[in-house]
């Protein structure tokens, strides 16, 4: 094996040891010792031996004692030596290969970690972009809506002007709602959606949805009904807006995809939860699509064929339901219909405070007399916005000063000791967070009321704002009623108010009932469809088509559309369809 002729190899143990690789000798003698002392059951060891030509061979050596003296000391041993050089080479190659693989895995893992970090950074950049973008969009919108509100207070403006102002106001609000909708999807993608938990009137919420869906169902000749079973609470605690959005989406789909039969919304209590089920007698959804329809942008052939929608509705709905503590389950039989069901916690509660409703309906005219003067500092870098709030407050009787950044705010606070500060949070030089913290640390800084003005899209900024020391925060664009409400609450002020009209109509809104009799039913359907999706152009197109035959009705409808009173428009259309049926 080692290249020696048999007789040329000295068969002594010493000669054997001389041929062992120096690095292996201790291992070999250790294995022998362990065997002799009984520590191991057999002698078995792998090591390198030098060949006659000086090369090294790997050897597997196995042995066994065959003769011992009376004391048990080994006398003679027999054994085998097997050349395992080839196996060891393969082992080494395998081991090198394994090391290489491990290195590759390490590298790949590092690359993936870097890619993940890059994706997360991109996501953060997107969130920041959205947050900034919404700030940029809302700031001018703040000025548009605010000055329109301010001009609405001007008694010199004639009725015609007030009507135009109202249109500016409603268009601005509509734009704001659109910005918010787009942000919804982005927020979900960024994992930043939160749900609110406030008391609301479940009956009211459901009947508003019912009215809206009934018109859609009836225009398609479908039967529609809300089926309540068990004792359902009227006032519950939860997120009314998200629930509304989910139900309108599910019911909207049911009506959209069903051509005949019935669409129902079923409700039943389940302890503190309420179970909602939207059922239709439409085309149904094949089992292989039933989970995929919840993926973003996924539509079945039926969905694509409709040519409406984006495939986002169910994704958003599912996410909202999950956040509210439930899960949407779908069951469906092709050709028979589908049911979308979910249950969410909606514990019964007391009626929400009336205050919130009434204050929003009153218009503050002035501070009541016999109250000490109230000094208000308006901190806002945007000159238009600053001027707007200043005007609004002075109009009502506050003493107002402005500051263009946090530094000026601190100086003004020290020199002038205002009672109340409106604090924009994003400003050059010194932002609202730092300014608020510094003012709070100054003498008198613990008493002044500070309310943040924020255009940020993301709700979690709230906690940072409150942590900086603000008493409250209001989103931009600023709602006049909320502005006075917050000031009144924090400072204990009393205002003289002008009550809004009992039915909360805005100026310029037509009071005469609409006469929709005689209008072509297909035009009524087109108008209802467009109104449901808040599609101004669509509505105006339908109105244009009826103008020649019904100029008066067209004029009234136009005013409703321009003031974005889709709710009234739909109610009128529904009333008319009820009368036609009767
Ligand atoms: P969209 O309706 O805008 O296409 P959705 O996310 O709401 O998007 O729905 C995704 C898809 O699921 C639809 O395109 C449609 O194929 C299918 N779908 C949803 N609701 C129903 C239903 N009630 N009946 C049949 N198919 C439905």
């Amino acid at each position: 094996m080692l290249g020696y002729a048999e007789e040329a190899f000295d068969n002594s143990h010493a000669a054997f040891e001389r041929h062992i690789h120096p690095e292996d000798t201790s291992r070999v003698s250790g294995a022998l010792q362990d065997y002799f002392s009984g520590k191991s059951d057999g002698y078995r060891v792998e090591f390198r031996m030098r060949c006659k030509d000086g090369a090294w061979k790997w050897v597997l050596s196995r042995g066994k004692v065959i003769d011992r003296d009376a004391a048990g000391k080994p006398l003679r041993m027999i054994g085998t030596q097997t050349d395992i050089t080839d196996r060891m080479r393969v082992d080494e190659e395998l081991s090198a290969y394994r090391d290489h693989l491990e290195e590759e895995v390490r590298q790949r893992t590092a690359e993936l970690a870097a890619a993940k970090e890059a994706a997360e950074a991109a996501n953060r950049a997107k969130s920041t972009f959205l947050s900034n973008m919404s700030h940029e969009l809302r700031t001018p919108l703040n000025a548009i809506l605010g000055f329109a509100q301010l001009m609405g207070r001007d008694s010199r403006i004639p009725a015609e002007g007030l009507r135009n102002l109202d249109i500016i106001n409603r268009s601005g609000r509509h734009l704001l709602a659109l910005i918010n909708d787009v942000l919804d999807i982005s927020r979900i993608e960024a994992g930043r959606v939160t749900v609110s938990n406030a008391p609301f009137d479940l009956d009211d919420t459901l009947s508003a949805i019912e009215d809206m869906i009934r018109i859609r169902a009836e225009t398609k000749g479908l039967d529609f009904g809300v089926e309540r079973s068990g004792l359902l609470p009227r006032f519950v605690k939860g997120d009314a807006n998200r629930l509304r959005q989910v139900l309108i989406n599910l019911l909207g789909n049911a009506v959209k995809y069903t051509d005949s039969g019935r669409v129902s919304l079923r409700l039943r209590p389940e302890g503190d939860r309420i179970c909602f089920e939207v059922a239709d007698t439409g085309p149904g959804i094949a089992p292989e699509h039933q989970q995929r329809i919840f993926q973003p942008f996924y539509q079945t052939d039926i969905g694509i064929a409709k040519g409406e929608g984006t495939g986002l509705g169910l994704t958003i709905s599912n996410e909202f339901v999950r956040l509210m503590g439930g899960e949407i389950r779908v069951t469906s039989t092709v050709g028979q219909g589908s049911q979308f069901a979910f249950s969410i916690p909606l514990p019964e509660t007391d009626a929400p405070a009336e205050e919130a409703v009434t204050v929003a309906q009153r218009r503050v005219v002035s501070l009541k007399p016999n109250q000490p003067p109230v000094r208000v500092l308006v901190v806002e870098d945007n000159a238009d916005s600053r001027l707007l709030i200043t005007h609004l407050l002075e109009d009502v009787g506050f003493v107002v000063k402005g500051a263009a950044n946090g530094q000026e705010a601190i100086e003004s606070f020290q020199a002038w000791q205002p009672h109340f500060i409106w604090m924009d949070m994003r400003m050059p030089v010194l932002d609202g967070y730092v300014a608020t913290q510094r003012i709070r640390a100054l003498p008198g800084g613990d008493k002044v009321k500070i309310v943040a003005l924020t255009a940020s899209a993301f709700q979690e900024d709230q906690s940072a704002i409150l942590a900086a020391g603000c008493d409250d925060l209001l989103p931009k664009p600023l709602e006049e009623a909320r502005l006075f409400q917050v000031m009144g609450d924090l400072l204990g002020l009393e205002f003289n108010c002008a009550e809004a009209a009992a039915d909360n109509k805005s100026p310029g809104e037509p009071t005469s009932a609409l006469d929709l009799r005689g209008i072509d039913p297909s035009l009524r359907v087109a108008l209802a469809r467009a109104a449901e999706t808040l599609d101004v152009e669509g509505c105006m197109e339908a109105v244009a088509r009826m103008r020649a035959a019904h100029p008066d009705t067209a004029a009234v409808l136009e005013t409703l559309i321009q003031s974005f009173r889709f709710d009234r428009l739909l109610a009128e259309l529904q009333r008319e369809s009820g009368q036609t049926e009767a």
Side-chain angles (χ1 to χ4, degrees):
M1 187 166 76
L2 299 179
Y4 294 98
E6 201 174 324
E7 59 285 359
F9 195 80
D10 176 0
N11 237 346
S12 71
H13 187 69
F16 168 71
E17 275 193 331
R18 268 203 309 281
H19 280 80
I20 296 176
H21 194 289
E23 287 174 11
D24 298 344
T25 45
S26 61
R27 193 148 41 84
V28 175
S29 56
L32 263 180
Q33 281 311 314
D34 286 351
Y35 175 53
F36 292 157
S37 64
K39 247 198 221 165
S40 64
D41 291 342
Y43 163 74
R44 188 181 191 286
V45 64
E46 291 173 358
F47 55 93
R48 281 159 291 180
M49 288 191 88
R50 195 178 60 248
C51 301
K52 189 179 171 199
D53 62 6
W56 294 99
K57 263 194 175 158
W58 272 97
V59 173
L60 165 62
S61 177
R62 281 177 287 213
K64 193 173 167 193
V65 172
I66 53 164
D67 206 2
R68 292 181 188 265
D69 64 11
K73 192 171 166 230
L75 294 176
R76 254 165 32 101
M77 199 175 161
I78 56 162
T80 58
Q81 315 286 347
T82 315
D83 179 355
I84 55 165
T85 310
D86 285 347
R87 197 202 83 200
M88 288 308 268
R89 201 185 55 245
V90 171
D91 276 2
E92 263 167 31
E93 276 170 11
L94 272 178
S95 155
Y97 189 59
R98 195 184 56 231
D99 289 349
H100 174 69
L101 263 185
E102 278 174 3
E103 180 52 34
E104 280 224 324
V105 169
R106 253 195 305 279
Q107 258 185 27
R108 192 82 191 100
T109 311
E111 280 167 22
L112 282 175
K116 181 167 168 269
E117 174 54 34
E120 281 171 1
N123 215 6
R124 279 196 298 274
K126 190 175 84 178
S127 300
T128 313
F129 168 76
L130 280 170
S131 181
N132 289 338
M133 196 57 193
S134 83
H135 183 264
E136 296 307 321
L137 291 171
R138 285 171 197 223
T139 304
L141 203 50
N142 187 28
I144 294 172
L145 285 174
F147 277 104
Q149 281 179 19
L150 196 65
M151 286 170 76
R153 306 171 69 85
D154 190 336
S155 52
R156 291 164 301 180
I157 295 185
E160 171 75 20
L162 284 179
R163 191 160 55 234
N164 294 344
L165 271 177
D166 198 47
I167 294 170
I168 296 177
N169 235 317
R170 288 182 184 279
S171 306
R173 272 173 223 285
H174 182 56
L175 181 56
L176 188 62
L178 289 178
I179 295 172
N180 290 341
D181 277 357
V182 171
L183 279 168
D184 248 359
I185 293 173
S186 322
R187 283 195 196 120
I188 288 179
E189 282 186 350
R192 304 177 77 155
V193 175
T194 52
V195 288
S196 67
N197 194 22
F200 68 94
D201 186 333
L202 183 64
D203 277 2
D204 264 11
T205 307
L206 289 174
S207 41
I209 296 171
E210 208 177 325
D211 288 350
M212 178 189 270
I213 297 299
R214 185 174 304 282
I215 296 178
R216 291 194 210 179
E218 282 174 359
T219 50
K220 278 189 82 176
L222 296 172
D223 208 16
F224 169 68
V226 178
E227 301 162 15
R228 295 171 167 86
S229 60
L231 257 184
L232 287 158
R234 172 161 176 202
F235 297 106
V236 292
K237 236 176 142 181
D239 193 325
N241 285 330
R242 305 266 190 240
L243 177 64
R244 188 179 303 118
Q245 224 169 320
V246 170
L247 289 176
I248 288 178
N249 180 254
L250 294 180
L251 287 164
N253 275 352
V255 172
K256 180 163 71 173
Y257 295 115
T258 305
D259 290 328
S260 64
R262 179 175 169 85
V263 168
S264 349
L265 169 61
R266 300 180 186 134
L267 290 106
R268 64 185 157 78
E270 231 180 35
D272 256 1
R273 303 171 78 93
I274 295 179
C275 185
F276 298 84
E277 186 182 80
V278 173
D280 65 53
T281 53
I285 304 158
E288 64 271 23
H289 296 302
Q290 287 178 12
Q291 281 318 307
R292 301 184 69 186
I293 50 173
F294 292 100
Q295 294 169 3
F297 305 109
Y298 190 84
Q299 295 181 298
T300 66
D301 290 346
I302 297 165
I304 297 166
K306 279 276 165 204
E308 302 168 22
T310 53
L312 274 174
L314 284 177
T315 315
I316 295 179
S317 298
N318 198 28
E319 191 60 24
F320 285 169
V321 169
R322 206 177 56 72
L323 285 163
M324 289 190 285
E327 191 191 345
I328 301 184
R329 281 167 286 112
V330 56
T331 46
S332 182
T333 309
V334 172
Q336 291 186 15
S338 314
Q339 297 84 40
F340 289 82
F342 63 92
S343 100
I344 51 169
L346 286 172
E348 183 162 14
T349 184
D350 297 334
E354 281 298 306
E355 180 80 4
V357 186
T358 49
V359 168
Q361 284 174 352
R362 288 179 302 166
R363 159 167 286 192
V364 169
V365 178
S366 61
L367 275 165
K368 278 202 171 153
N370 305 326
Q371 296 181 92
V374 183
R375 292 186 296 279
V376 183
L377 181 62
V378 178
V379 190
E380 162 70 79
D381 62 321
N382 183 296
D384 290 343
S385 304
R386 193 170 63 240
L387 193 66
L388 166 69
I389 305 174
T390 306
H391 277 337
L392 199 59
L393 295 174
E394 281 175 344
D395 247 20
V396 169
F398 289 99
V399 188
V400 191
K401 273 195 178 171
N405 58 55
Q407 190 54 44
E408 284 185 19
I410 295 171
E411 287 157 17
S412 192
F413 172 77
Q414 286 175 301
W416 194 55
Q417 293 287 313
H419 303 98
F420 193 101
I421 302 178
W422 282 110
M423 181 73 83
D424 185 21
M425 295 318 272
R426 292 185 193 211
M427 287 177 297
V429 186
L430 195 68
D431 69 18
Y433 295 89
V434 182
T436 304
Q437 280 167 351
R438 298 214 182 138
I439 288 172
R440 285 288 183 223
L442 290 170
D446 54 336
K447 301 217 175 49
V448 60
K449 303 294 176 199
I450 306 179
V451 176
L453 291 171
T454 165
S456 166
F458 295 119
Q459 293 179 350
E460 67 263 43
D461 289 350
Q462 288 182 8
S463 46
I465 287 169
L466 298 178
C470 291
D471 294 293
D472 204 345
L473 69 159
L474 280 194
K476 290 181 189 177
L478 211 51
E479 285 271 349
E480 184 186 311
R482 292 275 295 129
L483 171 124
F484 290 122
Q485 189 183 353
V486 167
M487 295 185 81
D489 289 350
L490 284 172
L491 296 172
L493 301 172
E494 288 185 42
F495 298 107
N496 288 318
C497 297
E499 294 296 330
D503 63 356
N504 204 21
K505 276 198 198 81
S506 38
E509 191 172 303
T511 44
S512 56
L514 265 172
D515 185 0
L516 294 167
R517 278 169 305 176
I519 303 274
D520 185 334
S522 71
L523 278 179
R524 283 209 309 256
V525 171
L527 186 57
R529 284 232 174 105
E532 283 158 15
T533 51
L534 311 182
D535 174 1
V536 178
E537 277 83 5
C539 287
M540 287 308 233
E541 206 180 301
V543 170
R545 282 162 58 203
M546 63 182 76
R547 199 187 313 278
H550 308 274
D552 294 342
T553 309
V556 180
L557 284 173
E558 210 167 22
T559 316
L560 277 178
I561 296 161
Q562 282 172 342
S563 0
F564 296 107
R565 289 307 304 261
F566 296 108
D567 50 350
R568 273 203 62 201
L569 190 55
L570 287 170
E572 294 287 351
L573 284 164
Q574 188 190 10
R575 200 168 52 84
E576 176 56 27
S577 75
Q579 280 170 0
T580 316
E581 252 175 36

